[in-house]
Amino acid sequence: MSRLATGGHIDRNTELAFTFDDKAYLGYAGDTLASALLANGVRQVATSIKYGRPRGIMSAGVEDANALVQIEAPFPEPMLTATTIELYDGLVARGLQGRGRLADAPDPARYDAMHAHCDLLVIGAGPSGLVCALTAARAGARVVLVDDQSEAGGSLLGSRDGLDDWVSSVITELNSLEDVRILQRTTVFGYYDDGFVLALERRTDHLGAAAQAHLARQRIWRIRSKQVIVATGAHERPVVFADSDRPGVMLAGAARTYLNRYGVLAGRKIVVFTTNDSAYEAAVELGDAGTDVTVVDARTEISQRWAAECASRGITVRAGHVVTGTSGSDRVTTAHVAPYLDGEPGARQGISCDLLLVSGGWNPTVHLYSQARGRLRYEASLGAFVPESAVTGVRVAGAAAGLFTLAGCLASGATATADVLGELGLPSTPLELPSVEAEQKPAPGLVLWAVPDKREDTEPCHQFVDLQRDSTVADILRAVGAGLTGVEHVKRYTTIGTAHDQGKTSGMIACGIMAEALSTHERHVDIASLGTTTFRPPYTSVPFAALAGRDRGEIFDPVRVTAIQPWHVAHGALFENVGQWKRPWYYPQRDPSGSVEDIESAVLRECKATRESVGMMDGSTLGKINVQGVDAGEFLDRLYTNLISSLKPGFIRYGVMCGMDGMIIDDGTVARVSDTEFVLTTTTGNAAMILDWMEEFAQTEWPELRVSLTSVTEQWVTIPLVGPRSRDVLASVAPDLDVSNEAFGFMTWRDARVAGIQARICRISFSGELAYEINVSAWDGLTVWEALFDAGQPYGITVYGTETMHVLRAEKGYPIIGQDTDGTVTPHDLGMSWVVSKKKLDFVGKRSFSRSENQRSDRKHLVGLLPVDKTVLLAEGSQLLATTDVSVSPVPMLGHVTSSYRSVALDSTFALALVRSGRERIGETLQAWHDGGLVAVTVTDPVLYDKEGARRDG
Amino acid sequence: MQLIRCPWCGSREEAEFHYGGQAHVSYPENPAELSDAEWARYVFFRDNPRGPFAERWVHSAGCRRWFNAIRDTGTHDLLAVYRIGDPRPEVAT
C-alpha cells in the first residue's frame, strides 16, 4: 500500500469498496478514483488510442490526457478521467483505449437547470477566489462562488501552506451570509457574453447508488453576473521527452496533491525532472515522507534556497541535466538522464525509479477570460500566455493571471475585488489576508518544450505531445514540413488538442515546438506571433443529458392538439405532424375479421364517401388572424395581390400574399366581419410567420395605418363539412339557417346556431364540393363535432384526415403553398393571374412581377400529370424529362412532381408538377424518372376533376 | 447569451429577439417608375459593413415591437437602440 497512515483530506474511517478492471479494491471517502488506484499500486489505467501503449495517471485534475475510464455501474457512463471521479461505494469502472461506449440502456437519472443572478461571480475557490468572494460578500454584494472540486481550497488542498483553518473560516462566514451561494462540484464551462456563464453542477454523481432518485443528478446553472472574477488557477505542463507517456510519469504538482490531499505516495523511488522552482516543493515534501528523491534540473543555476533544502534532506540535485527518455514495460523503471549543454543532451545514464515527476512550468487557466474576448500576451519568462488586461466585466486573479506565489495570489484577489466593488458602487474594506511565508523570489525558469532525442535507435514518434491523441513531435514536424504555418492548421493536421482534454497539457507545448520548427537561421519565429488556438467552450466535457435537462421525451417540443383530439384518438386516427400540430392523417377502419385498412384503401374510401355523399374533417389548425382597425381594408390591399377593401361584410374572398420578390408566401381566405374587421386564414404551418410578416409591415413600413392584428387560431374550432349531402346535414342541426344556395351563396358567411351553439359558417370549399366550414368557440368544438357526426349518420358521414384533404384539393388543382411551391413560384406560374389585381397601383411584390426574369416564357408552371400507366404512383420529387435518352449527363430536366396521389374519382393515379413552359406542354408526353427508370406521363391542366365547377353549389 | 436593450422592455436575452436586417431602407416612392436594376437593388441588396451598422430587431418573444439598433458588426456590441421613426443616433466609434 502507498497510503500514509495520517494526513490529507480523506476520511480513513469510511472505507469504500470499488472494482477496477474486474479487480476489487478499497479506498476512502474523499478519494478520487485516481488517488484510490494509486493507493492500491495500480499504475496502468488505460491504453493509448492509436498505438495501444500503456497509460497511467499523469495529473490530479481535469487536465489529465491519459486516465480515461468507463463507469459500468451504478450508472453506465463513457469516457471520464479517473482524476475527476469522486470515489463511491460500489463503483465499477474499466480502463479505456481512447474511446468510450454509450450505454445501451436509457439513463434513468433526472437532469435540470437553474438560473442565478448576482453582482459578482467568482470562479474558483482557491486562495484568490476566496479572498474575492469574502471581500465582496462583506461589502454587501450578491456573490456566487463556483468551484469544481468537492471542497474549497484550490491549490491549498494539495499544499502544506497551513491555511486549512483559514479556508474553513472563510467558507463558514460565506455560508452565514444571505446573499452568497457556494456551488461546489460545479464547473463553469463557458462564458457567453454580458456576464452570462454556463456551469455544470454534479449533484449526486459522487453518491453512487446512494443517490436519491428524485434529485437531479446534474444541473446546468445559467448564471448572469454583473461582474466576473476568473480565479481558475493554472495547469502544470510537462516537458516532452522520449517515452514520457509511460505509467509512472506524472506532473510534479499532481504528486504533491496525491501526497497532501489524499495521503498517497505515488512512488517510493522518485526522479523529479524540472525546469523551474515549483517542482522542488514536491521533491522536498516527498523526501520528507520517506521516499528516495533525485532532482534533475535543466537549469545550470538553481536557487540557493532549494539547493539548501535538498542538501539538508540528502536529495541529490543534478543541475544542468535533463531526462531524455525512460525504460520500463507497463510502468517506468528507469529515467535516462543526460547533461544538457547548449540545447543538446550529452551521454545518458540510467537512474532507476518507480515515479518520474515532470514540471515544464505552468499555464494560467485563461480559457474563460479568452472566451470573454480577453486578449492574451505571451510571457516569455513563463513560457505561457497570460491575460493582457481586464475586459468589460471580467477580471482575472491569482495563478490564472500568471501569479505563482501564494502571497501574490491573495493580493491579486484583493485588488481585483476592490476594482469590482468600485464598479458596483459598493464600499470596499480590504480583508485581512492570512499571513503567509514571504516567499523568496524564485530563480528564473527555463522554457523547454521538448528534449531532443539523439538516440539512433528511436524514432521521434516516441516523443508524445498529446497523449490522448497519440500525437508526437514527429507529427508536428510533418505538419510544418507540409507547409502549415498557423497553429489552428497544425492543430487540425496533428489532432493535438482535439481530445476530451482539449490540449490542456499539450497545446502550449505544441505551439512552442512549432515555433522552433518554423524558425530558421534567417528568421526567428516567436510564439507570441503564432498565438494560441482558440479557447472555445466547453472547458470540460458536458454530458448531452445535462444540456437537454428536462427538455426530453414528451416535453422536448410542445405538441399542439385541437379540442377534438380525444375524438380522433378514440376513433383510431393516425396522426401526422404539421409543425407542432398533430393532425389526423387518416382513420383506418377495422373490418369484422379484425384486419385494419392500409392508408391506400382508407384514403380511397374517405375520398369516395366525401365526393358521393358527405365527409367532415378537423380543420382547426388552419391559421386564423383577426385584423381590426379603420384602415384594415387598406392594409390588406397592400399585402394581398388582389383587392380586399371592396369586399362587403358577410362575404369571403380567396387571397394570395407574395414577398417583395413577387414569390408566393401564403394563401387563404379573407372574411369581412364588418367595415373595420376581417378574419383571414393562413396555411397551418405558416400561421406564425404570416402574423409576423403582417406585424412587421404594420409597425415599420406603414405605421400611419390604424390596424391591429391578433392570432385567433386556437380560439376557433373549424370543421369543414364537405360533399353533396353537406347541406342536408347542416340543415338538420341549424334549423334557423336558410341553407339554400340562393340565401347562402358560395363565398359568403352567416352566423347561426349549430346544434344550439353560436357558430360562424363559411361557404368555402377546398375540394370543389358543396361545403360549409363551421367555426365555433374551441370550448364547444367537440360538442358541435359530435352533433355533426350524429346528424350525418343517415348519409353515411365519413370523417377524413389530411391525406384525403390533399387528394381532394389536388384533383381540383388547388396548390398547397410550400408543397406545390418552393419560394420561386409567382401567382402567374400557378396559373392564377386572376388573383393579381390590375387596378391596385401597388402592393407587396407587384413591381417584381414585371421584372424580366418573371416574364420569361420558359418559367415553370403548375400543371397536372396523368401517368400513361394508371397504376403508377409517381414519387413526389420525381424529375421530369423531355427525352428518353438518359445516356448523356447532364440530362436536361424540365421540372419535378410536387404532389402525387391515387384518385378514386379519376380512376387513375395523378400528380401535380412544376414544369418549364408547362402550360404550353399540355397534351405532351414527358418522361418521369421514377424508381430507377422512366415512366411516361401526359401533361394536363392542373384541374382534373369537375373543371366546370358544377359540384360547388350542390 | 448577449443582452439586447429593447427600447420598450429593457435588457432581455438575445434569444427573445429576431433580426430584421438593415434599417432605414425606405420602400421606393414609386416602384413602377424604377428600372429592373433599381428595383432589384431595393429588393435584394443590403450593406454589409464591418463596424457600426444600423439594423432592425424585433422583440418577438416579448412585446413584439420592432426597433432599430446600431451594432458594431466586428464586436457584436450594441452601441445604441432607438424606436422606429426616431432618427439614427450618432455613436462614438
Side-chain angles (χ1 to χ4, degrees):
Chain A
M1 283 291 283
S2 313
R3 185 82 72 176
L4 299 176
T6 57
H9 293 246
I10 49 168
D11 174 10
R12 288 178 178 76
N13 295 318
T14 308
E15 278 195 335
L16 304 174
F18 70 102
T19 306
F20 183 75
D21 280 351
D22 301 319
K23 285 202 191 92
Y25 299 101
L26 289 175
Y28 293 129
D31 263 326
T32 61
L33 176 59
S35 67
L37 288 171
L38 288 169
N40 283 283
V42 176
R43 287 295 177 270
Q44 178 177 352
V45 171
T47 314
S48 82
I49 187 165
K50 202 152 72 179
Y51 302 126
R53 291 165 68 97
R55 293 286 165 81
I57 293 159
M58 65 175 283
S59 80
V62 297
E63 70 272 37
D64 207 286
N66 267 349
L68 285 175
V69 302
Q70 177 98 7
I71 294 183
E72 310 283 6
F75 316 109
E77 191 156 2
M79 220 170 121
L80 301 172
T81 45
T83 52
T84 58
I85 300 169
E86 285 184 54
L87 194 67
Y88 46 82
D89 204 52
L91 172 69
V92 179
R94 213 180 288 279
L96 285 177
Q97 179 165 1
R99 286 192 194 91
R101 300 180 311 277
L102 283 176
D104 49 15
D107 184 347
R110 294 171 70 115
Y111 300 84
D112 66 9
M114 287 278 279
H115 292 257
H117 297 261
C118 56
D119 296 319
L120 173 63
L121 168 68
V122 180
I123 307 168
S128 316
L130 290 171
V131 168
C132 297
L134 187 56
T135 308
R138 281 185 180 173
R142 288 185 303 160
V143 175
V144 174
L145 172 63
V146 179
D147 185 73
D148 74 340
Q149 294 295 304
S150 56
E151 58 182 312
S155 61
L156 300 172
L157 294 169
S159 77
R160 294 189 172 175
D161 293 305
L163 292 186
D164 287 7
D165 291 345
W166 177 75
V167 172
S168 306
S169 72
V170 170
I171 292 297
T172 304
E173 182 173 348
L174 286 172
N175 274 324
S176 74
L177 295 169
E178 202 179 328
D179 276 341
V180 175
R181 184 193 292 277
I182 302 176
L183 296 169
Q184 291 293 156
R185 299 188 171 93
T186 305
T187 306
V188 173
F189 61 82
Y191 181 94
Y192 301 88
D193 294 316
D194 292 335
F196 188 71
V197 308
L198 292 182
L200 175 73
E201 181 185 13
R202 295 166 293 277
R203 303 181 74 213
T204 67
D205 292 76
H206 62 290
L207 301 174
Q212 291 176 279
H214 72 280
L215 292 177
R217 185 175 158 208
Q218 296 179 346
R219 170 173 286 172
I220 297 287
W221 282 89
R222 302 169 182 157
I223 305 170
R224 177 79 69 177
S225 184
K226 289 178 187 162
Q227 299 283 328
V228 176
I229 293 179
V230 176
T232 46
H235 291 135
E236 195 167 22
R237 64 167 183 266
V239 177
V240 174
F241 49 85
D243 301 318
S244 64
D245 62 322
R246 247 186 253 290
V249 181
M250 185 184 282
L251 291 165
R256 273 189 92 197
T257 299
Y258 288 117
L259 174 67
N260 296 320
R261 181 171 176 186
Y262 303 105
V264 173
L265 283 177
R268 302 227 172 237
K269 193 157 169 30
I270 302 169
V271 171
V272 180
F273 172 32
T274 188
T275 63
N276 62 88
D277 277 8
S278 73
Y280 281 86
E281 287 177 301
V284 165
E285 288 169 7
L286 286 161
D288 288 347
T291 66
D292 172 2
V293 180
T294 303
V295 175
V296 176
D297 195 326
R299 300 171 297 179
T300 46
E301 296 203 9
I302 64 170
S303 74
Q304 289 183 352
R305 174 199 171 193
W306 288 114
E309 296 272 6
C310 288
S312 72
R313 290 169 173 83
I315 295 173
T316 309
V317 179
R318 298 206 182 177
H321 279 65
V322 291
V323 171
T324 62
T326 68
S327 297
S329 52
D330 61 343
R331 59 190 294 173
V332 66
T333 54
T334 306
H336 303 304
V337 175
Y340 187 61
L341 283 169
D342 302 326
E344 294 293 333
R348 71 176 195 181
Q349 178 198 358
I351 302 179
S352 77
C353 61
D354 62 0
L355 181 66
L356 171 52
L357 300 183
V358 187
S359 179
W362 294 77
N363 300 327
T365 309
V366 295
H367 301 63
L368 295 168
Y369 165 81
S370 184
Q371 288 170 20
R373 289 191 257 156
R375 291 170 64 89
L376 298 173
R377 172 177 62 80
Y378 181 67
E379 175 53 54
S381 68
L382 298 174
F385 284 91
V386 297
E388 189 167 65
S389 59
V391 292
T392 307
V394 181
R395 287 175 176 74
V396 188
L403 299 163
F404 293 109
T405 65
L406 181 52
C409 287
L410 294 166
S412 87
T415 307
T417 316
D419 293 347
V420 162
L421 293 173
E423 290 207 20
L424 292 172
L426 292 169
S428 172
T429 311
L431 201 67
E432 191 184 329
L433 298 178
S435 61
V436 295
E437 186 189 346
E439 281 140 3
Q440 294 150 12
K441 196 173 158 56
L446 176 75
V447 175
L448 176 61
W449 310 114
V451 176
D453 187 7
K454 289 292 157 194
R455 287 178 301 162
E456 287 174 2
D457 59 342
T458 308
E459 290 291 307
C461 75
H462 285 239
Q463 290 179 290
F464 289 92
V465 178
D466 185 332
L467 280 71
Q468 207 287 329
R469 284 287 186 239
D470 266 351
S471 298
T472 64
V473 173
D475 293 326
I476 298 175
L477 298 180
R478 197 173 299 120
V480 170
L484 304 182
T485 56
V487 289
E488 298 284 4
H489 287 134
V490 170
K491 170 180 174 174
R492 282 149 186 84
Y493 188 93
T494 60
T495 72
I496 290 172
T498 61
H500 70 283
D501 60 312
Q502 291 286 290
K504 290 185 179 66
T505 54
S506 57
M508 192 63 237
I509 293 173
C511 286
I513 294 171
M514 197 185 147
E516 287 175 2
L518 285 169
S519 295
T520 60
H521 289 300
E522 294 83 44
R523 192 170 77 98
H524 173 71
V525 174
D526 66 359
I527 296 173
S529 68
L530 282 180
T532 62
T533 54
T534 307
F535 292 98
R536 291 192 180 83
Y539 168 67
T540 51
S541 314
V542 180
F544 279 108
L547 291 173
R550 304 290 301 276
D551 302 329
R552 54 198 284 191
E554 281 192 336
I555 56 173
F556 171 65
D557 195 35
V559 171
R560 302 175 78 184
V561 296
T562 75
I564 309 169
Q565 177 78 358
W567 195 96
H568 302 320
V569 173
H571 289 77
L574 296 184
F575 293 88
E576 73 168 335
N577 297 323
V578 181
Q580 290 170 328
W581 287 104
K582 294 280 176 202
R583 297 200 70 180
W585 188 20
Y586 62 100
Y587 297 78
Q589 302 297 298
R590 196 178 288 271
D591 72 13
S593 72
S595 67
V596 178
E597 266 182 324
D598 61 10
I599 180 168
E600 187 180 321
S601 31
V603 170
L604 289 175
R605 173 182 53 75
E606 290 174 4
C607 286
K608 184 170 159 57
T610 303
R611 289 243 184 262
E612 292 180 0
S613 181
V614 61
M616 62 189 278
M617 75 171 300
D618 183 357
S620 309
T621 64
L622 207 64
K624 295 174 273 293
I625 299 170
N626 187 290
V627 184
Q628 294 191 36
V630 292
D631 295 320
E634 168 67 18
F635 178 73
L636 295 176
D637 275 351
R638 296 185 190 185
L639 286 174
Y640 281 99
T641 58
N642 48 343
L643 199 60
I644 303 294
S645 57
S646 61
L647 195 64
K648 291 184 172 50
F651 285 80
I652 300 170
R653 194 164 285 169
Y654 172 77
V656 165
M657 283 192 214
C658 291
M660 260 327 157
D661 57 0
M663 303 303 154
I664 294 184
I665 57 171
D666 203 48
D667 71 342
T669 58
V670 184
R672 188 159 205 164
V673 179
S674 70
D675 283 349
T676 58
E677 181 179 357
F678 296 80
V679 175
L680 58 93
T681 64
T682 73
T683 315
T684 294
N686 253 354
M689 187 278 276
I690 292 297
L691 181 63
D692 286 348
W693 172 254
M694 298 174 72
E695 192 70 56
E696 177 181 342
F697 279 96
Q699 288 186 34
T700 68
E701 207 62 60
W702 311 311
E704 72 281 6
L705 295 185
R706 283 159 298 170
V707 61
S708 64
L709 308 161
T710 311
S711 167
V712 291
T713 301
E714 298 190 345
Q715 280 68 25
W716 294 95
V717 150
T718 302
I719 308 168
L721 184 66
V722 180
R725 307 311 294 267
S726 58
R727 181 172 284 138
D728 302 317
V729 177
L730 181 62
S732 70
V733 287
D736 304 336
L737 180 67
D738 184 346
V739 294
S740 68
N741 194 47
E742 296 70 35
F744 188 3
F746 188 58
M747 296 306 263
T748 64
W749 61 266
R750 298 286 180 274
D751 280 349
R753 291 198 165 268
V754 173
I757 286 165
Q758 191 60 43
R760 174 161 297 160
I761 305 147
C762 302
R763 253 205 75 190
I764 55 179
S765 177
F766 197 40
S767 60
E769 299 296 327
L770 172 68
Y772 300 87
E773 189 190 84
I774 295 143
N775 296 278
V776 294
S777 156
W779 297 107
D780 298 316
L782 192 52
T783 307
V784 172
W785 173 271
E786 287 177 333
L788 287 167
F789 186 67
D790 290 345
Q793 289 311 311
Y795 310 97
I797 195 165
T798 297
V799 176
Y800 65 88
T802 52
E803 191 64 18
T804 291
M805 174 189 80
H806 280 158
V807 178
L808 298 176
R809 64 89 200 174
E811 288 170 344
K812 287 290 293 178
Y814 298 150
I816 290 192
I817 305 307
Q819 172 163 339
D820 300 297
T821 69
D822 60 4
T824 67
V825 178
T826 67
H828 312 88
D829 297 337
L830 293 184
M832 300 201 315
S833 302
W834 53 267
V835 85
V836 178
S837 166
K838 297 196 174 52
K839 289 185 208 155
K840 287 195 287 184
L841 281 178
D842 196 24
F843 53 83
V844 171
K846 179 180 168 76
R847 174 62 185 83
S848 288
F849 294 148
S850 59
R851 291 181 65 225
S852 56
E853 179 62 28
N854 294 336
Q855 296 286 318
R856 292 164 57 134
S857 60
D858 63 345
R859 287 187 64 80
K860 288 179 179 171
H861 299 150
L862 185 75
V863 294
L865 297 178
L866 286 171
V868 172
D869 176 349
K870 294 179 176 186
T871 64
V872 174
L873 182 67
L874 296 172
E876 288 174 355
S878 296
Q879 292 290 329
L880 298 165
L881 323 171
T883 170
T884 54
D885 178 11
V886 292
S887 60
V888 184
S889 71
V891 179
M893 305 292 185
L894 291 177
H896 68 280
V897 173
T898 58
S899 296
S900 175
Y901 309 100
R902 285 180 208 284
S903 168
V904 66
L906 304 175
D907 189 27
S908 171
T909 57
F910 74 105
L912 297 176
L914 287 170
V915 177
R916 207 163 278 293
S917 308
R919 285 194 288 274
E920 282 80 65
R921 294 181 190 273
I922 288 174
E924 281 182 27
T925 299
L926 301 178
Q927 303 295 321
W929 185 258
H930 172 80
D931 203 13
L934 292 171
V935 171
V937 296
T938 306
V939 180
T940 71
D941 187 273
V943 185
L944 286 160
Y945 183 73
D946 185 30
K947 203 168 164 52
E948 56 285 359
R951 308 184 63 83
R952 189 189 79 187
D953 297 328
Chain B
M1 179 86 76
Q2 196 166 3
L3 292 175
I4 294 176
R5 193 162 59 80
C6 169
W8 305 93
C9 305
S11 284
R12 295 290 187 277
E13 297 195 335
E14 62 180 281
E16 294 185 13
F17 296 83
H18 276 106
Y19 183 65
Q22 185 174 357
H24 308 300
V25 180
S26 308
Y27 189 79
E29 197 69 27
N30 203 338
E33 289 174 2
L34 299 184
S35 69
D36 271 12
E38 288 166 335
W39 176 250
R41 180 147 288 282
Y42 164 72
V43 175
F44 299 114
F45 287 73
R46 293 294 182 270
D47 296 339
N48 186 23
R50 183 190 175 95
F53 186 45
E55 56 194 21
R56 307 183 313 153
W57 287 84
V58 57
H59 193 187
S60 30
C63 64
R64 296 183 61 77
R65 295 269 210 143
W66 283 84
F67 60 93
N68 290 331
I70 296 180
R71 181 178 61 102
D72 186 319
T73 59
T75 62
H76 291 306
D77 290 336
L78 282 165
L79 306 173
V81 293
Y82 53 107
R83 296 178 183 186
I84 293 288
D86 288 353
R88 176 182 167 150
E90 292 296 319
V91 294
T93 54

